[in-house]
């Protein structure tokens, strides 16, 4: 698994509704793991995947700051 220049490994986290991806983000491994756990709790019925990715082609979008995804929807 490749490393980025800072030495942090990146992961791609996706939330699935059946065969459809409803969220697709990447982040450093520790942040991605926390995001995947948060999405698994919030969307208990949906599949959440977390996969190692290439730095050159991460796919998805960079995960926004954690404060955004910790706020409950209104």
């Amino acid at each position: 698994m490749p490393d980025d220049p800072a030495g942090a490994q990146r992961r791609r986290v996706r939330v699935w509704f059946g065969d459809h991806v409803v969220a697709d983000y990447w982040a450093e491994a520790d942040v991605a793991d926390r995001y995947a756990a948060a999405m698994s709790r919030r969307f208990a019925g949906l599949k959440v995947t977390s996969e190692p990715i290439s730095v050159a082609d991460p796919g998805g979008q960079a995960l926004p700051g954690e404060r955004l995804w910790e706020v409950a929807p209104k």
Side-chain angles (χ1 to χ4, degrees), residues 14-25 35 43 46-47:
R14 291 185 276 189
V15 180
W16 300 81
F17 183 77
D19 292 337
H20 303 281
V21 176
V22 295
D24 186 359
Y25 292 105
Y35 177 72
F43 303 106
L46 302 183
K47 179 172 88 170

Side-chain angles (χ1 to χ4, degrees), residues 11-42:
R11 298 187 67 80
R12 183 177 185 182
V13 178
R14 291 185 276 189
V15 180
W16 300 81
F17 183 77
D19 292 337
H20 303 281
V21 176
V22 295
D24 186 359
Y25 292 105
W26 60 263
E28 282 69 32
D30 59 335
V31 174
D33 290 343
R34 289 196 311 269
Y35 177 72
M39 294 300 100
S40 292
R41 287 189 305 272
R42 182 164 292 162

Side-chain angles (χ1 to χ4, degrees), residues 46-65:
L46 302 183
K47 179 172 88 170
V48 177
T49 59
S50 178
E51 305 163 337
I53 58 169
S54 164
V55 173
D57 182 26
Q61 301 177 34
L63 187 64

